[in-house]
Amino acid sequence: MRPMNKAHFYLHHLWKSTFSNKPRTALTFLGIFVGVMIFSVGNILIDSYYQNKLWKITNMDSNAVVIQTNQENDRSFQKANKIFIVEEPQPLLSLRIDDTEVMLSAHLHGMTNYNGQYSLSVEDGIYAVNAKIVAGRPIQTSDIIENNPVIVIDEFTESLLFPGQEAVGRYIEVGLGAEGSQIGMEGQGGQSPLKLQVIGVIENHFEARRNISQLKQALYGSSSSVSLMTTVYCPYPIIAQAYSETMHSYCYLFSEPDHDRLTSLTDQLNSLSLNIQRQNGVYCDVVTQQSLTEQLEEELKPLKLMLNLGSAFIIIICGLAIMSIIFFSMKERIMEIGIRKTFGAGKADILFQFSLETLIVSFLASFCAAIVGLLTAYCLQDVIASILLEDFKICFSLRQFSLSICLGSLEGILFGIFPCVYATHITITRALRFE
């Protein structure tokens, strides 16, 4: 027989013997499929959560160092962009779109200078982002010196406050929104509203894109209401005077394009912040892109550990079931083993055949489980986004797909090797006496 014909004959026989016992093959397939699919879904969701969070962190200026504190400390943090932050978000707009009530509030940030950086209030602190001016101009030194009542907003805020119109040159009254309002700021003792002229519009950053995603989910999901949060920018004196009696904090932005100098600056600020906390008991935190990344990895460690332990437990249970199924399959095939040994098959031949059969079933089950796991993760995408209240997207890579297939194949080999070794030790006389 020619080598090609011999190989074809052997593979054909191997394929037929693998699927000759359909219940056994189905149970083995199912055992591997369940374990690998659960692992695949969990792995994809955890990686996607990490990548989405990391994407937000990468939007932070990599050259920036942010100091967050609840007390002014101009002497310690010289040459920084000092920002006055009103802790309580201020209402800007309330409108109805179809059957959904949309409420837009703003974090007010008072700036002392402009160097291309903008501070951004997010749920886990203050970020520094670079954002381009797409209309008008940024806040300038003259606005701060002359105490000009001006404001800079993002494109998303412009689209809600002035739909279909340009915002530059128009006015916003804090406490209501677009110009023409009759309601002023709450808690200002009857003062006239803080009326601010829009002088610039910056491009949408990740917070604005998250607002767009939340608004779409609310409109498509027929929610009765949705609350959105944005950040707007004014000259420091305007905000500091109007909100001096309300709860507020301070932020100092540093920028250093040189990596080595940035590391040195971060170390100095960390040391300085620790001294301030010890001496004055003042909250003072140093934030960089690198520190946020490290914090995210620490945050996900327990979650990854729980997922890995859970997946390992399920895989072991499924593997033991697979081992039992293959073991009983070997019992049924004792006559076949005896006949093969009679015709000269050695232990290595028997081990290779049954191991290869297990590998084929394991590979097919893992491949299907990886595909179903990916589809399941995509089905859960909107559900998770609504739970997290942020833009959540599934991030898939070939590494995840390959890992699931390798894990399932390895599971089949590891838990199938003992029954296969058992088959190699069956003697011809025992096989011939077997009924």
Side-chain angles (χ1 to χ4, degrees):
M1 186 180 290
R2 292 181 181 178
M4 287 295 295
N5 292 338
K6 187 177 180 180
H8 179 268
F9 173 80
Y10 182 78
L11 291 173
H12 179 71
H13 171 73
L14 183 65
W15 184 265
K16 285 187 67 176
S17 61
T18 301
F19 296 97
S20 58
N21 190 328
K22 291 183 174 57
R24 171 184 62 82
T25 304
L27 290 173
T28 306
F29 183 96
L30 188 62
I32 296 173
F33 178 88
V34 170
V36 174
M37 192 197 76
I38 293 174
F39 170 81
S40 178
V41 172
N43 192 41
I44 290 172
L45 292 180
I46 290 292
D47 277 2
S48 298
Y49 179 78
Y50 175 78
Q51 291 298 330
N52 279 272
K53 285 286 187 181
L54 189 63
W55 172 82
K56 185 176 75 171
I57 292 172
T58 54
N59 278 269
M60 179 171 174
D61 184 4
S62 59
N63 300 322
V65 182
V66 180
I67 306 292
Q68 302 175 44
T69 179
N70 54 7
Q71 184 174 312
E72 280 187 284
N73 209 320
D74 296 350
R75 185 181 299 176
S76 300
F77 305 123
Q78 297 177 5
K79 298 181 180 180
N81 182 3
K82 176 184 172 186
I83 297 172
F84 185 100
I85 301 173
V86 181
E87 292 293 323
E88 183 180 355
Q90 301 299 307
L92 281 185
L93 177 69
S94 178
L95 59 84
R96 181 167 289 277
I97 301 177
D98 296 332
D99 295 325
T100 303
E101 186 75 20
V102 180
M103 291 163 285
L104 179 65
S105 300
H107 292 283
L108 300 182
H109 286 206
M111 304 175 67
T112 54
N113 62 66
Y114 172 75
N115 58 358
Q117 287 180 325
Y118 287 93
S119 53
L120 193 62
S121 290
V122 294
E123 66 275 3
D124 50 355
I126 306 297
Y127 283 16
V129 296
N130 288 319
K132 296 178 182 177
I133 290 285
V134 295
R137 63 175 179 84
I139 293 172
Q140 298 173 345
T141 306
S142 58
D143 296 317
I144 298 166
I145 295 173
E146 297 170 10
N147 206 15
N148 292 332
V150 294
I151 189 170
V152 172
I153 61 177
D154 59 41
E155 292 175 289
F156 174 72
T157 305
E158 177 188 38
S159 67
L160 282 184
L161 292 176
F162 309 101
Q165 304 175 40
E166 290 187 2
V168 177
R170 296 180 176 274
Y171 289 86
I172 293 175
E173 290 182 327
V174 176
L176 183 67
E179 79 178 304
S181 63
Q182 301 299 319
I183 302 175
M185 292 187 301
E186 297 179 4
Q188 291 299 312
Q191 277 183 240
S192 59
L194 184 61
K195 194 171 185 178
L196 304 169
Q197 184 182 27
V198 180
I199 59 167
V201 179
I202 61 173
E203 63 184 354
N204 284 336
H205 37 67
F206 68 87
E207 183 192 36
R209 290 193 285 272
R210 183 182 64 177
N211 283 333
I212 294 170
S213 176
Q214 284 184 247
L215 182 58
K216 286 180 179 178
Q217 288 175 15
L219 295 177
Y220 295 151
S222 302
S223 299
S224 58
S225 64
V226 58
S227 296
L228 306 174
M229 204 70 64
T230 187
T231 303
V232 297
Y233 308 93
C234 307
Y236 184 96
I238 291 289
I239 302 300
Q241 291 171 15
Y243 291 92
S244 59
E245 301 300 322
T246 62
M247 187 177 293
H248 59 272
S249 62
Y250 300 90
C251 171
Y252 294 87
L253 297 185
F254 294 85
S255 181
E256 179 53 69
D258 184 82
H259 177 73
D260 293 333
R261 290 182 179 178
L262 178 66
T263 303
S264 176
L265 174 63
T266 304
D267 293 339
Q268 292 175 14
L269 292 175
N270 273 315
S271 177
L272 184 59
S273 298
L274 285 173
N275 290 333
I276 292 173
Q277 290 183 67
R278 289 169 185 166
Q279 295 174 5
N280 305 327
V282 175
Y283 169 77
C284 195
D285 190 27
V286 180
V287 178
T288 63
Q289 189 184 77
Q290 182 179 352
S291 68
L292 288 172
T293 304
E294 292 171 354
Q295 182 181 340
L296 175 61
E297 290 174 351
E298 286 295 321
E299 175 191 332
L300 289 180
K301 271 185 181 178
L303 197 58
K304 285 184 176 180
L305 179 62
M306 289 178 60
L307 172 67
N308 291 334
L309 289 176
S311 298
F313 178 76
I314 293 170
I315 286 172
I316 289 172
I317 296 299
C318 293
L320 292 173
I322 293 165
M323 183 186 292
S324 300
I325 294 166
I326 297 175
F327 184 81
F328 285 112
S329 171
M330 297 303 167
K331 287 277 191 179
E332 294 175 357
R333 300 174 68 179
I334 285 179
M335 286 291 290
E336 177 191 337
I337 295 168
I339 293 170
R340 289 204 64 197
K341 284 196 170 186
T342 303
F343 283 92
K347 288 185 178 181
D349 298 319
I350 302 295
L351 181 64
F352 179 76
Q353 177 186 338
F354 290 120
S355 297
L356 202 56
E357 288 179 13
T358 305
L359 180 60
I360 290 172
V361 176
S362 302
F363 178 82
L364 292 175
S366 304
F367 186 82
C368 294
I371 293 175
V372 173
L374 177 61
L375 295 175
T376 304
Y378 272 110
C379 291
L380 294 173
Q381 178 175 272
D382 292 338
V383 176
I384 294 174
S386 62
I387 293 172
L388 297 177
L389 295 177
E390 60 182 57
D391 190 16
F392 179 83
K393 293 182 179 179
I394 294 297
C395 300
F396 175 72
S397 66
L398 287 176
R399 183 190 65 82
Q400 296 169 339
F401 193 79
S402 303
L403 182 63
S404 297
I405 294 176
C406 291
L407 179 69
S409 301
L410 185 63
E411 178 189 8
I413 291 296
L414 288 179
F415 287 96
I417 194 68
F418 178 73
C420 294
V421 171
Y422 165 79
T424 64
H425 288 83
I426 297 174
T427 61
I428 297 175
T429 53
R430 182 187 169 191
L432 293 175
R433 288 199 303 264
F434 184 79
E435 294 182 3

